[in-house]
Structures are given as C-alpha cells and as structure tokens.
Amino acid sequence: MIRYALNRIALMIPTLLGIALITFVMIRIVPGDVVELKMRSDGGRVTQQQINDERTRLGLDKPLPEQFYLWMKGLVTFDFGHSMWTGRPVAQEIGGRIGLSIQVAIMAALVAVLIAVPLGTIAALFRDTPIDYLIRIITIAGLAVPSFWLGMIIILVLLTFFKWSPPVIYVSILEDPVKNLSQLIWPSLAVGYRYAAVVARMIRSSIIEVMQEDYIRTARAKGVGEFMVVFKHAMRNALLPAITIIGLEFAFLIGGLVVTEQVFNLNGIGRLFVDAVIRNDFILIQTIVFLLAIIFVSVNLIVDLIYGFLDPRTRM
Amino acid sequence: MAWDSRNETIHSMTRRTAMLLPALALGSHALAQGTGPSDKPQRGGTLSYAVTAEPPTYDLHQTATFAVMHRLSPHYSTLLAYEPGKYPNIIGDLAQSWTISPDLLTYTFKLHPNIKFHDGTALTAEDVRVSYERLRNPPKGVSSFRQPSFTQIKSIETPDALTIVFKMVKVDASIMDTFASPWNSIFSAEKLKADPSYPVKTVMGSGPFKFVEHVAGSHWVGERFNDYFKAGKPYLDGFRAITMTPSAMVNAMAGKQIMAEFRGFTPNERDRIVKALGPDAQTHESPWMLHMLMNFNCEKKPFDDPRVRRAISLALDRWGGSANLSKVSQLGAVGGLVRPGSKWAATEAEMVQWPGYGRDMAANRAEAKRLLKEAGYENLSFTLINRNQQPYITTGVFIIDQLRQIGVKVEDKQVEIAAWYSAQTSGNFEALLDSFTQFSDDPTNVLVKYISTDRAPDVAIQRAIDRELDSLFDRQAEMVDPAERKKLVRQFENRLLDQAYAIPILWWQRIVVMESRVQGWTMSPTHMIYQDLADIWLK
C-alpha cells in the first residue's frame, strides 16, 4: 500500500509541472495587458512611459523563460508573488477566500451525500417502479438545471415569499455560526442538488449491477436477510464508483463555483479567478490554477488510496 | 475679485422618476419623497452600499476608477468641491475662501483653521502644496493619472500655514474644476516625505470618516471622524461599502441587505428594486456624464475617407435609438460631445444640423448611400471591436441594425476588456466602440477625447491629425467668457462631426436607487462627486 501511494505521489509532480507550463503560456497568448487596464480605464491619462515603467516594475518586460523560472522559484519557496492588480500578496488574496470555497464545497458534498445515497439506493431497489421513475425525474432535473439558475430561483423565492435575502458579507462559522449558515446554506443547496443528482444516478446503476453479482445470489441462498444483503454486501462495492465521483466533484467545487458565487455574492476562489482573468492578472491566474490543480490531483490521490484500501485488486 | 462661491447658473440635475414608473401611474406604489423642510438630519447609523468592483489601489491620485472613489472619498478632503444639490457650483472644502487676481493668473486660498488629519496632526497649506506637487510632478514610482490638468500651474507657494498661492503660466478656464476635482485629495506632507507612495496602501486623510478595515473582495468599513473640521458632520456613525456582483446587487437591495448603490442601475433593475421595496425606495435620474461613441481608425481604409465615416454617422437613427434603447438599457439622451443638459450643450435646433442628427432618416440614409457610392464602398463591411458587457452589447446590436439599412455589414466582435484595450492601444482595429467619462462637464476635460491623436495619444485614439480642432480646443481652454467659450465648443463640435473621426452615439442615463431612509445624498450627472458621505443621514 505504501509503495502504491508513493508511486501515485511521484506521478503528481510531472502532472503539476505540465499544468504550470501550459497555464503560464496560455494566459500570455490572450491579448491584453493588466497595466493598460489598470492605468487607462475610466479615462486615466497616463503616458506610454508610465505604462512601460509599470510593466518593468511588475517584471513583464523580462523574457518569458525568466518570468517562468522566477515564478517556479517562488512556488518552491512558498513566495507566490503579488497580484498585479491590487499589489497584495497572492497568498493573502487566496487565503482570504479559500475558507469560504472549501466550506461551500464541504456543505454541498454533505447535501449531495445525504440526498444521493438514499435516493440512489431506493431507486435501485425499486427498479422500474413508479418510485424509481420519480427519483429518476428528480435526478435528471438535477442534471439539467444549472446550479446558478437554481440559486437565482432560491433567492427569488426567499425575496418573494419571505421578503428576505441571504447576508452578503461572509462571516466565519466560528465567529457567528447562524449568520454563516444563513449565507452559505443556499448556495450549498443549489450546488448540492446537481451534485446529488450525479451521485444518485451513479449509486443506482452501481447497486443494480452489484445486485446481479454471484456473491449476492450466494448470500441470499445462505439465508442472509435482504437488509444485510443490500447494506453489508452490495453497498460496500456499489459505493466505490460513487466515491470517485464525490471526490472529483468536491475538488471541482472549490474553484468551479464561478457563476454561483456571482449569484450569491460569495467572495470565493471562483469569483477571484474570474476577476483575475478579466484583468489579465497573470500572477494571480497562474497561482490559482496551480493551487486548484494541486487540490484536484490531491483529491484524486486520496480517492485512489481509498479505492486501494477498499478494493485491494486496484493496487495490482 | 473675491469669491465665496462660484456665481454660475444652477442646474439641478435630480429628478424623481416616480412619474415615469408604470407602477406609480397605476397608483400601486408611492415612492418616498426625500428630505422635507421639516426633516432635520439625525445622527447615527451605518450606511451600507454596494460597489461593483474591487479597488486596484487606495491612492486617488493614481487611479480613475469609481471602485476607488466610492470607497476612498469619505476619507479625504479636497481644496474645493462641487456644492451639494447645486452642481456645477463650486464651494470650498478645505478652502474657507479664495481670491483670484484680475489677470486670472494667481489663485490664493485661505484654509479653514484647525483641520486635522485622522492621526491627529494638523493639515496645513504645506500638505496642500506637497499633494499638488505630487499631482503635477509625480516622483519616481508614482503615476499621476490626470497630470495634463496641471500643466498651466507655474508655481505653488505657502506664505503661511493657512494660505496657499497657485501661480499660472497662462489662463486656464478649467482650473477651478481642477481644484474641485474629487481625485485631487490632500495627503499628509510629512508622510509623503517619508514614503511618496504611502497612499497606495495606507488610508489617512482629513475627510469625514476614518478607515477601519478592508477585507479584500468583501467589504470596506469607515467610522465617523470626530475631529472632522466641518462642525456637526458627518451624521453617520460609519459606512460599509460592500463589494458586490451586479447580479447579486439587485437582490441584495430588494432584500434590504444594502441601502444603496451610487453608480447606476438599468431601467429593468430599477423597476425590480422599486417593485420589491415599494414606498421604501427612492430613485434619482440624470443624464450621465458618460457617452457611447464609435472611434474609427482614420489611418486605415476605408475610414481614412471622411465620406465613409460621415456615411456611418448619417445612418444612425440617434433619436429613434434614444426612444427605444432607453427602455431597456442605460442609454439615454441624444447629444454632441458635451453632456446634454449641461450649460455647454448644443440645443436640438443646433444638433439637427449635424450629419446624423437630422430627424429625417430617409434623407439621412439616402445621403449615406450616396457618400458610400461616391467613395467606392457600396458593399462595405467592417469589424467593430466591442466590449462583452452591457450596454455595449446593446449598442453593438443597434449599430448592426442601423448600418444594415444602408447595406453596410458589421461584424460585432465582443471581447474581454483587456483585449479591447489591447486593440485600442495597438491600433489593431477598424472601428471600436468606446465610452468616455469625466468628473465634470468642463469642455477641456471632455473635448480632449476628440483632439489630434499626437496631442493626447492616451485618450484620442482615432489616429487622426486635425490642427483646426486642436486650435479650437486650445482657444476654448483659455477662454473665460462662458458665452464665447460656448461658441468655440460649438465650432469644435461642428468640425468634429463634419469630419467624423469619432462619432458620439448616445449619452448614458444615470439611475440611482436607494432606500428612502437614506437622506442628504445629492444626485449629480457624474458618479464621481458627492461621495464623501458627509451630508448623508438615515431617517
């Protein structure tokens, strides 16, 4: 198991290097310049010399290989540089937002698991009955409805029927749990519904497949009760593919709630990333992408390790 | 001559939009009526309002974005200011009084006594001098974003701690607006001496509110400065400026999570908020000091030919566009190069003489087709570089439709704003949809957009050289007689619209909605002034 884990960790290094290089090159192909945007927008009257001086100060006049080397060197020493737009350290920009994004991802994952496991199991056990059809309608709707649209509907319902909208300033759950949850529960529900739909469909098909396996028939033949057959023998194997989906979706949610964060005015990583892209804030963009890549690859690793633990055959 | 305030015609720009709202016409809602004569300002409370962008800096000298102004203005003072409710009258802010020499070459200001910075130190004439020196001759590492405004200042002297004297190289008709500019905040000379860039990261002024905190991407907090030099002000205990996405802002207002947003809403957003808040809403509207224009690249074919440019201008039904687009977007009035409603603006009778402003669209389009045929561009097609946001998208659609009617095909290429600036600077465009705003209607500030590119390459991006326009611009800049200056402005507009290096399309309409309990705020045609919040109180 340790050898398997070390192999998987070693594979992460070239993956991350490749992502860093591709990101670095791609964002520089896009036309536009953070300096011009910062200094000339809204009627700012600065000379070309001032623009050039600012580019020099930000290191944008250096050859691209040197810029890449300096960035890599900074990453290794945990010096992520400064945002080209605000001048604040990138670590500070990301650090102030990552907590919210992780909390929404965790809450959405909880919502998803709480909904998906019973729904997927019930649908599988009552296959091709009205109950199954109803659950399939619910899950297909979850896949079809974009999370941000559901978020908008949630807000409109709250406004129309309760004359209330969620708080717009994030407060840590440790500081004020009620205010924190009254802000974040709604985006978690909006995102968690789609997340649940994906997982529920996976659980349904897995359980249906597993229930046709020989060892299930054997268990029944030995007189094991149906409850034990499902929850002890079938679920353990049926949940393996679901764990993969839950893990990957979780990693995606940390940086992928771009539009939902706009709808609920959440000061998360997704919104920071969009703002950075709009402004061509190279340092911030490449660091966020790299961070999300690390999270994605790490979650993938954890999923693989759990897989390896639950199913020794995958270690072969 | 001595001045206590500027003796000019008062234009009240605020008007309630209640009459325009269908809901009110049906009598289903009544909007709050603002401050009545019996309403006395009350102290206390925290104003929460939205700002839709993050500030790239805290330094008002080194930025032009409202994202900074709407957060920083409450923390700073300026030498002069626009009089609340009486734009464009100018009154003193730090200056208690001032005199102007008969030759208009010396401006002497007396400061209020006992002005303090937020750290308790005294604000003196030296702080004003050093701040203005920073604006006109920025030290290394500092970029003054409006440096050309100060070119006519020859020297700044401080005979005593409360007196400051500006001597001019030559007469500058717009210099009082420069002194009243909300961007020209006064910083501590002592702190600037230690670090010329301190305002970039530290907020320390003499305005009505002290800085408390800025949580990046979330909110900005200020609290009342008890030693503010204007007795009794501010009324609020503090304010909270919340960074919000436009999509979330309307819902937050409807849900009373915020009380106001001071830049502007679309008509649809206004109606949604008013419907949700009912009598708890108040709205203000004004033609905005912001207009949409199309720049042609006059160095490239086909727009190196004035006939082609004029044909494009002729084909745009501005009056019809105004009537229809104002229902669905922030686009509003028809105007020339200066804001409709301002004292410099052309009358409708004058406007209809300009190419593309006549009301007979059939005749305009026939003339446009004739010009294109004469220029050899009967089947003209070109790419319009546009921004991928509103109301630029709506304007792009309008242009496509209008030009289709004279057989011109337009590819509306909507790009991210960084790519848009890249096209603008590199000259890699045929036509580019643009907008322009300033903090005042002063013609020098506004017309600079249309002078020869070699005179103002940072803003005049049409890549044309026209010395006749430059001469008119220079003459109006020195003309202090308003009537004569207005004539020169008209001549400038006539020349520009005849040559059509760049053509105005429509002016924006500023729509501000807030809770009716927010009192004392003044509407203006620009979102850059009246944002120090000193006069605001909560009912």
Side-chain angles (χ1 to χ4, degrees):
Chain A
M1 186 69 190
I2 292 171
R3 186 186 169 89
Y4 172 73
L6 289 174
N7 276 339
R8 299 290 296 132
I9 291 168
L11 274 174
M12 286 170 66
I13 295 168
T15 307
L16 290 173
L17 270 175
I19 290 169
L21 186 62
I22 290 168
T23 310
F24 182 88
V25 173
M26 282 186 74
I27 57 176
R28 280 164 177 78
I29 292 171
V30 178
D33 185 336
V34 64
V35 177
E36 275 186 348
L37 198 57
K38 190 173 172 180
M39 300 184 81
R40 288 212 163 126
S41 58
D42 294 308
R45 298 205 54 201
V46 294
T47 61
Q48 191 57 43
Q49 185 57 48
Q50 287 171 314
I51 297 264
N52 294 342
D53 289 348
E54 182 66 4
R55 284 193 181 123
T56 303
R57 191 183 72 78
L58 294 174
L60 290 170
D61 59 335
K62 291 186 170 78
L64 286 185
E66 188 181 346
Q67 288 184 44
F68 184 71
Y69 166 74
L70 290 173
W71 179 48
M72 282 288 107
K73 191 178 154 193
L75 286 181
V76 172
T77 56
F78 295 101
D79 174 8
F80 303 119
H82 289 73
S83 160
M84 292 174 161
W85 182 256
T86 65
R88 282 190 289 271
V90 166
Q92 192 180 321
E93 294 280 11
I94 295 173
R97 291 155 168 103
I98 193 82
L100 182 147
S101 292
I102 289 175
Q103 189 187 338
V104 172
I106 290 171
M107 287 172 64
L110 283 174
V111 168
V113 170
L114 288 174
I115 296 173
V117 173
L119 280 191
T121 309
I122 292 167
L125 297 179
F126 295 92
R127 186 183 175 189
D128 294 332
T129 66
I131 294 173
D132 182 29
Y133 297 148
L134 178 66
I135 291 172
R136 280 159 73 178
I137 289 170
I138 292 169
T139 54
I140 289 169
L143 295 175
V145 173
S147 298
F148 71 86
W149 183 84
L150 185 61
M152 288 162 72
I153 296 297
I154 288 173
I155 289 182
L156 288 176
V157 166
L158 291 171
L159 274 172
T160 307
F161 295 105
F162 303 99
K163 307 288 181 202
W164 181 85
S165 67
V168 288
I169 294 179
Y170 171 70
V171 181
S172 159
I173 194 164
L174 300 174
E175 197 180 323
D176 187 341
V178 174
K179 199 170 178 186
N180 173 280
L181 292 176
S182 65
Q183 183 189 26
L184 299 188
I185 190 68
W186 312 107
S188 303
L189 285 172
V191 174
Y193 176 40
R194 192 197 68 87
Y195 195 167
V198 175
V199 178
R201 287 181 66 79
M202 177 61 75
I203 289 174
R204 177 186 177 276
S205 53
S206 292
I207 290 181
I208 288 171
E209 195 180 325
V210 167
M211 292 296 279
Q212 291 166 352
E213 293 286 337
D214 291 344
Y215 67 89
I216 296 292
R217 198 178 304 124
T218 306
R220 280 177 175 150
K222 286 166 71 179
V224 177
E226 192 63 18
F227 183 86
M228 289 299 285
V229 167
V230 173
F231 291 95
K232 188 177 175 189
H233 298 283
M235 285 287 270
R236 180 170 170 147
N237 289 304
L239 283 179
L240 280 175
I243 287 169
T244 309
I245 295 291
I246 291 168
L248 294 179
E249 282 283 320
F250 177 81
F252 165 77
L253 287 184
I254 291 174
L257 296 179
V258 173
V259 187
T260 307
E261 284 182 5
Q262 305 271 332
V263 170
F264 287 96
N265 201 54
L266 301 180
N267 187 25
I269 291 290
R271 200 168 113 194
L272 179 69
F273 183 64
V274 170
D275 287 346
V277 169
I278 289 170
R279 294 164 185 153
N280 274 20
D281 189 343
F282 294 155
I283 300 289
L284 193 52
I285 295 169
Q286 60 203 27
T287 308
I288 291 174
V289 172
F290 194 73
L291 173 75
L292 294 178
I294 289 175
I295 292 172
F296 212 88
V297 172
S298 301
V299 170
N300 226 340
L301 173 71
I302 293 166
V303 168
D304 284 352
L305 294 179
I306 293 172
Y307 238 91
F309 175 75
L310 292 176
D311 185 354
R313 288 173 299 175
T314 57
R315 288 183 235 156
M316 302 300 282
Chain B
M1 59 189 134
W3 295 63
D4 284 329
S5 66
R6 197 166 171 175
N7 185 21
E8 289 181 340
T9 309
I10 295 168
H11 295 268
S12 177
M13 290 300 147
T14 304
R15 67 183 170 92
R16 302 271 172 207
T17 55
M19 303 291 282
L20 300 175
L21 292 171
L24 281 178
L26 294 169
S28 58
H29 289 285
L31 295 190
Q33 289 304 305
T35 312
S38 61
D39 287 335
K40 283 187 179 173
Q42 298 161 12
R43 280 175 80 87
T46 299
L47 176 76
S48 62
Y49 59 95
V51 187
T52 54
E54 267 288 280
T57 176
Y58 297 169
D59 187 348
L60 282 157
H61 294 184
Q62 299 195 72
T63 187
T65 170
F66 76 99
V68 177
M69 179 60 71
H70 284 198
R71 292 178 176 89
L72 271 297
S73 189
H75 302 297
Y76 287 103
S77 306
T78 49
L79 194 53
L80 302 177
Y82 292 99
E83 185 174 5
K86 294 181 179 176
Y87 175 86
N89 267 17
I90 288 176
I91 56 172
D93 190 20
L94 291 173
Q96 192 172 43
S97 63
W98 62 91
T99 58
I100 303 170
S101 66
D103 62 2
L104 305 174
L105 293 177
T106 305
Y107 292 75
T108 305
F109 297 91
K110 281 279 181 191
L111 303 184
H112 286 276
N114 305 319
I115 302 172
K116 284 183 181 170
F117 280 113
H118 297 158
D119 66 356
T121 57
L123 186 152
T124 67
E126 180 64 5
D127 298 299
V128 179
R129 186 189 71 76
V130 170
S131 296
Y132 269 83
E133 290 294 359
R134 185 177 189 258
L135 286 161
R136 71 190 195 106
N137 291 314
K140 191 172 169 51
V142 174
S143 298
S144 175
F145 272 42
R146 283 155 292 275
Q147 201 172 351
S149 308
F150 306 94
T151 48
Q152 305 307 343
I153 295 175
K154 185 166 70 179
S155 66
I156 309 171
E157 294 160 15
T158 53
D160 61 60
L162 294 181
T163 308
I164 184 151
V165 181
F166 289 84
K167 292 196 171 162
M168 311 294 291
V169 176
K170 61 180 179 181
V171 172
D172 180 351
S174 61
I175 195 66
M176 291 297 278
D177 285 281
T178 300
F179 292 136
S181 166
W183 300 107
N184 300 338
S185 50
I186 305 304
F187 299 136
S188 161
E190 189 185 334
K191 284 188 169 291
L192 284 178
K193 194 176 169 188
D195 176 9
S197 292
Y198 96 84
V200 172
K201 290 183 177 169
T202 307
V203 184
M204 209 291 287
S206 57
F209 293 92
K210 289 196 294 184
F211 173 75
V212 176
E213 69 166 341
H214 174 209
V215 178
S218 177
H219 60 278
W220 179 289
V221 181
E223 66 177 12
R224 181 195 290 129
F225 176 41
N226 290 320
D227 288 332
Y228 185 48
F229 69 95
K230 292 179 182 171
K233 292 184 181 175
Y235 303 114
L236 296 167
D237 290 337
F239 71 91
R240 190 178 286 252
I242 302 166
T243 307
M244 299 203 76
T245 59
S247 52
M249 196 166 64
V250 175
N251 292 328
M253 275 216 69
K256 294 193 176 182
Q257 294 288 344
I258 53 168
M259 300 175 196
E261 194 276 338
F262 296 117
R263 187 164 183 263
F265 288 99
T266 65
N268 179 43
E269 290 167 340
R270 172 200 63 201
D271 294 346
R272 274 188 59 203
I273 297 168
V274 168
K275 189 179 174 190
L277 294 183
D280 291 339
Q282 58 175 316
T283 65
H284 305 260
E285 290 197 26
S286 163
W288 207 335
M289 211 178 283
L290 171 59
H291 69 289
M292 197 72 89
L293 67 143
M294 183 161 31
N295 285 298
F296 299 112
N297 188 335
C298 299
E299 287 177 344
K300 285 186 178 176
K301 288 189 181 301
F303 296 118
D304 58 341
D305 188 328
R307 291 170 298 184
V308 179
R309 300 192 300 260
R310 204 176 305 138
I312 301 296
S313 188
L314 276 162
L316 301 177
D317 179 7
R318 293 174 172 83
W319 302 100
S322 171
N324 292 300
L325 298 180
S326 61
K327 294 173 189 166
V328 295
S329 74
Q330 287 170 303
L331 296 172
V334 178
L337 309 184
V338 287
R339 183 178 59 85
S342 77
K343 69 177 182 181
W344 308 108
T347 62
E348 186 178 328
E350 289 169 323
M351 278 196 279
V352 294
Q353 304 301 317
W354 295 331
Y357 285 74
R359 286 188 176 270
D360 183 350
M361 280 312 295
N364 289 349
R365 288 183 181 127
E367 174 64 3
K369 284 180 181 174
R370 188 192 68 76
L371 285 170
L372 287 176
K373 188 175 181 183
E374 187 181 297
Y377 288 105
E378 274 181 292
N379 298 309
L380 177 65
S381 66
F382 68 90
T383 302
L384 176 71
I385 303 291
N386 197 359
R387 297 191 199 179
N388 61 349
Q389 63 191 81
Q390 292 291 10
Y392 298 90
I393 295 169
T394 300
T395 310
V397 173
F398 171 68
I399 290 169
I400 291 169
D401 173 65
Q402 295 294 300
L403 298 190
R404 182 184 51 79
Q405 297 181 50
I406 59 163
V408 174
K409 194 176 169 189
V410 181
E411 184 195 348
D412 181 21
K413 191 173 177 184
Q414 296 167 11
V415 297
E416 291 289 347
I417 190 163
W420 183 89
Y421 273 106
S422 173
Q424 173 188 306
T425 308
S426 65
N428 188 21
F429 67 91
E430 292 179 284
L432 185 136
L433 196 61
D434 192 2
S435 64
F436 190 62
T437 185
Q438 282 292 330
F439 69 91
S440 87
D441 288 313
D442 185 88
T444 303
N445 286 330
V446 177
L447 300 183
V448 70
K449 179 75 179 165
Y450 297 95
I451 64 175
S452 294
T453 297
D454 62 349
R455 289 275 309 271
D458 48 332
V459 286
I461 57 168
Q462 58 275 18
R463 294 172 179 257
I465 304 296
D466 188 326
R467 298 300 174 216
E468 190 178 329
L469 276 180
D470 297 344
S471 169
L472 287 165
F473 177 79
D474 291 339
R475 284 164 61 199
Q476 70 75 33
E478 292 181 46
M479 181 57 68
V480 287
D481 179 336
E484 288 303 312
R485 197 178 183 199
K486 192 170 176 177
K487 283 182 193 168
L488 290 167
V489 171
R490 210 66 334 105
Q491 288 173 41
F492 187 101
E493 286 184 316
N494 292 342
R495 170 74 186 172
L496 186 278
L497 290 162
D498 181 61
Q499 294 299 311
Y501 304 114
I503 50 170
I505 298 169
L506 287 172
W507 284 73
W508 295 35
Q509 180 79 354
R510 187 179 178 208
I511 303 170
V512 174
V513 189
M514 58 183 72
E515 283 189 34
S516 55
R517 62 181 163 142
V518 179
Q519 300 288 309
W521 180 80
T522 297
M523 181 63 169
S524 67
T526 167
H527 54 296
M528 299 300 184
I529 63 172
Y530 304 145
Q531 288 305 135
D532 72 357
L533 313 180
D535 297 307
I536 291 185
W537 56 280
L538 299 178
K539 208 172 179 178

